[in-house]
């Protein structure tokens, strides 16, 4: 009997390591979250295997953290509503066809994505703050550690950026500030001409552009760094002295006027109504409703290339052109009168026109207008492929996903773009979405028309 017991114990001793190894292997394996398989709409009060699968999918996206018990209770209801809200779906707390389809993909907006879009401010910390620090550093506003702590140095950098971008200077990194910084949609990135007074100690992309200008005029010999140090102060003083200005080393309005003559709005420039050429900032005529000619066509082409004008560049200043001018003036904090005066001309001339139409009217390149073909889930072709490439360029879609087929991944990426731009989040690429894509990317591509 003792011999048999000893033999059994010996066998168990030999098996235990193998069992332990298998258990460890199972524990280390990453669990694959199954898709939801159901033929019914899941609603409050239901239970079953499909509800359990839904709980797991909601947990994967970070919206559900309660017990996985297969019961559709208050926790699941709240999680479903939060998921629907984050993904631009109808918020009804029911897992119907649309919610089910998106839940079963790996590209829906997660709770982490929602938190990423939330406003960051002094005292916060985490991975999102690290990304903010990286973006501020890449634009020359921040030189501190990438430690994920929103301290006084980050607060100061955010305020500098907001001031240089013409945003509300509150030191909080909200959606508008992050969109301007992360997607480079701020006006300072469209030419970089300073809009704030720059002086010793300032940092930022506008400082970098000022230094580039001074280098080109042989007043500055160091490489542009984005930091307004002693060398930059000396260069500005030298420029001021050479032009008979007060040599205080501060780049204020008068310095900007001399460096970029057409960018400063004042009464003297407003009063000038002389005929001239579009290339001469001192003789451009003001354009308004009823004006016509090549200078109108030039302005229209630039407005269209930037996504403001929804029509052809025909050289006639009509209601559509006025609406485009008003939209631009609003975005750039100019006087909203619908008239292209010196200040508005100065902004229009900085707009990217590398892909604008070379002729006044080019029927072969359709404008963005009422006949735009909407692209949505199920669409396919060259237009979808181009849309996917733009979403990839903006970081909303992964590399290699430009297959020309509008599936759930493309829809989710488009929704993320729409959310960052304050558009209707419906996952459908229509006129407003195409116009905003053109504006953010600074390009004009052939819009699909039907």
């Amino acid at each position: 009997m003792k011999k048999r017991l000893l033999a059994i114990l010996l066998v168990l001793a030999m098996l235990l390591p193998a069992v332990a190894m298998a258990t460890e292997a199972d524990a280390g394996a990453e669990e694959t979250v199954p898709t939801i398989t159901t033929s019914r709409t899941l609603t409050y009060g239901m239970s079953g295997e499909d509800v359990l699968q839904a709980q797991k999918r909601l947990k994967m996206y970070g919206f559900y953290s309660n017990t996985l018990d297969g019961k559709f209770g208050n926790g699941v209801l709240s999680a479903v509503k939060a998921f629907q809200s984050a993904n631009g779906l109808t918020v009804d707390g029911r897992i119907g066809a649309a919610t089910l389809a998106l839940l079963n993909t790996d590209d829906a907006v997660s709770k982490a994505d929602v938190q990423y879009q939330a406003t960051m401010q002094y005292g916060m910390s985490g991975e999102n703050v690290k990304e903010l620090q990286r973006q501020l550093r890449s634009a020359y506003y921040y030189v501190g550690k990438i430690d994920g702590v929103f301290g006084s140095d980050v607060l100061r950098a955010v305020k500098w950026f907001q001031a240089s971008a013409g945003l509300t200077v509150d030191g909080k990194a909200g959606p508008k500030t992050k969109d301007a910084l992360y997607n480079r949609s701020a006006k300072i990135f469209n030419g970089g001409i300073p809009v704030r007074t720059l002086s010793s100690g300032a940092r930022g992309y506008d400082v970098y552009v000022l230094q580039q200008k001074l280098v080109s005029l042989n007043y500055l010999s160091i490489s542009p760094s984005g930091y307004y140090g002693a060398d930059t102060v000396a260069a500005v003083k030298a420029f001021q002295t050479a032009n008979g200005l007060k040599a205080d080393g501060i780049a204020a309005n008068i310095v900007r006027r001399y460096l970029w003559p057409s960018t400063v709005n004042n009464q003297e420039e407003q009063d000038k109504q002389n005929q001239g050429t579009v290339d001469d900032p001192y003789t451009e005529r003001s354009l308004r409703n009823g004006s016509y000619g090549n200078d109108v066509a030039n302005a229209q082409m630039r407005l269209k290339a930037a996504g403001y004008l929804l029509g052809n560049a025909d050289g006639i200043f009509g209601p559509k052109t006025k609406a485009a001018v008003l939209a631009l003036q609003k975005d750039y904090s100019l006087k909203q009168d619908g008239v292209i005066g010196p200040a508005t001309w100065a902004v229009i001339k900085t707009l990217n026109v590398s892909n604008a139409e070379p002729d006044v009217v080019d029927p072969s390149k359709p404008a963005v207008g009422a006949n735009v073909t909407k692209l949505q889930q199920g669409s396919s072709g060259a237009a979808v492929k181009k849309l996917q490439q733009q979403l990839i360029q903006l970081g909303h879609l992964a590399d290699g996903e430009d297959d020309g087929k509008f599936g759930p991944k493309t829809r989710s990426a488009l929704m993320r773009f729409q959310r960052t731009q304050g558009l209707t989040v419906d996952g459908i690429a229509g006129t407003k979405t195409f116009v905003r894509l053109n504006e953010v990317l600074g390009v004009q591509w052939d819009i699909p028309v039907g």
Side-chain angles (χ1 to χ4, degrees):
M1 186 70 175
K2 290 183 178 179
K3 290 183 178 180
R4 182 178 298 177
L5 180 59
L6 183 61
I8 293 173
L9 290 174
L10 182 61
V11 172
L12 287 174
M14 294 175 64
L15 289 175
L16 279 175
V19 172
M21 290 177 64
T23 302
E24 289 176 5
D26 290 341
E30 184 176 344
E31 181 183 359
T32 300
V33 180
T35 56
I36 307 168
T37 304
T38 187
S39 59
R40 59 178 181 166
T41 295
L42 302 180
T43 60
Y44 182 82
M46 288 183 171
S47 62
E49 181 64 24
D50 47 4
V51 175
L52 177 62
Q53 293 167 347
Q55 289 175 325
K56 291 180 178 180
R57 298 298 293 183
L58 289 165
K59 182 179 180 180
M60 181 188 79
Y61 277 115
F63 292 100
Y64 183 73
S65 58
N66 294 346
T67 305
L68 299 174
D69 55 7
K71 298 178 181 179
F72 200 127
N74 291 326
V76 177
L77 179 64
S78 298
V80 172
K81 287 184 176 180
F83 176 83
Q84 291 171 328
S85 176
N87 285 274
L89 300 170
T90 300
V91 182
D92 57 8
R94 301 156 59 91
I95 303 180
T99 302
L100 177 67
L102 197 54
L103 262 178
N104 276 338
T105 71
D106 294 328
D107 296 284
V109 175
S110 67
K111 187 173 182 179
D113 293 329
V114 176
Q115 293 171 340
Y116 185 77
Q117 294 299 326
T119 296
M120 288 180 281
Q121 55 189 317
Y122 183 81
M124 297 178 70
S125 61
E127 290 300 317
N128 293 342
V129 178
K130 280 187 179 181
E131 181 59 26
L132 174 65
Q133 291 171 322
R134 293 188 189 99
Q135 294 293 337
L136 287 167
R137 176 182 282 182
S138 70
Y140 306 102
Y141 295 93
Y142 179 72
V143 293
K145 295 180 180 179
I146 307 298
D147 57 6
V149 177
F150 200 126
S152 57
D153 50 352
V154 177
L155 176 66
R156 183 166 53 251
V158 171
K159 286 184 175 181
W160 274 336
F161 170 71
Q162 291 171 327
S164 64
L167 300 169
T168 299
V169 182
D170 58 8
K172 298 178 181 179
K176 289 184 178 179
T177 297
K178 285 187 285 186
D179 175 58
L181 179 63
Y182 294 8
N183 297 323
R184 295 295 194 260
S185 62
K187 57 185 174 182
I188 59 164
F189 293 114
N190 191 2
I193 298 172
V195 297
R196 58 173 175 156
T197 295
L198 301 174
S199 59
S200 180
R203 292 184 181 277
Y205 184 70
D206 47 1
V207 176
Y208 177 83
V209 171
L210 171 66
Q211 291 172 325
Q212 284 185 315
K213 188 73 170 181
L214 293 169
V215 168
S216 71
L217 297 174
N218 297 317
Y219 286 99
L220 185 64
S221 58
I222 65 169
S223 297
S225 63
Y227 174 66
Y228 203 118
D231 290 316
T232 304
V233 171
V236 172
K237 284 183 176 180
F239 176 81
Q240 290 170 322
T241 300
N243 288 275
L245 305 174
K246 178 183 177 181
D248 57 7
I250 299 174
N253 277 6
I254 189 66
V255 171
R256 292 201 302 272
R257 177 189 171 90
Y258 273 73
L259 287 171
W260 294 280
S262 62
T263 61
V264 179
N265 181 18
N266 58 35
Q267 193 58 45
E268 180 185 350
E269 291 296 328
Q270 287 281 15
D271 292 341
K272 287 192 174 183
Q273 298 293 325
N274 299 327
Q275 288 289 116
T277 65
V278 173
D279 295 324
D280 184 348
Y282 290 106
T283 57
E284 287 163 345
R285 63 170 178 154
S286 291
L287 304 177
R288 63 190 72 236
N289 199 23
S291 300
Y292 62 91
N294 287 331
D295 47 1
V296 175
N298 180 289
Q300 288 174 323
M301 285 190 291
R302 291 174 181 272
L303 289 167
K304 184 174 179 181
Y308 286 100
L309 181 61
L310 310 182
N312 287 322
D314 56 6
I316 302 173
F317 198 125
K320 288 185 178 180
T321 303
K322 182 176 180 180
V325 172
L326 285 169
L328 177 133
Q329 290 172 329
K330 180 179 179 181
D331 284 350
Y332 285 80
S333 301
L334 301 172
K335 179 181 178 182
Q336 296 177 46
D337 57 6
V339 176
I340 304 179
T344 303
W345 262 123
V347 173
I348 288 177
K349 286 165 64 177
T350 68
L351 300 177
N352 188 325
V353 292
S354 60
N355 291 299
E357 296 131 328
D359 302 314
V360 172
V361 180
D362 184 358
S364 68
K365 294 188 75 174
V368 181
N371 295 324
V372 168
T373 298
K374 293 182 178 180
L375 301 179
Q376 54 191 317
Q377 190 160 331
S379 300
S380 61
V384 174
K385 185 177 181 69
K386 183 65 178 181
L387 172 64
Q388 291 170 326
Q389 290 171 343
Q390 290 193 312
L391 292 171
I392 289 172
Q393 185 177 347
L394 292 172
H396 294 293
L397 190 63
D399 290 340
E401 295 292 345
D402 54 333
D403 57 3
K405 298 177 181 178
F406 199 126
K409 291 183 179 180
T410 301
R411 181 177 183 272
S412 297
L414 183 60
M415 288 170 65
R416 282 192 285 271
F417 171 76
Q418 291 172 326
R419 186 174 292 103
T420 64
Q421 298 299 313
L423 300 171
T424 300
V425 184
D426 57 7
I428 299 173
T431 300
K432 291 184 178 180
T433 298
F434 287 127
V435 169
R436 189 58 59 85
L437 278 167
N438 284 343
E439 181 182 355
V440 171
L441 293 170
V443 299
Q444 176 74 18
W445 57 285
D446 292 343
I447 302 298
V449 295

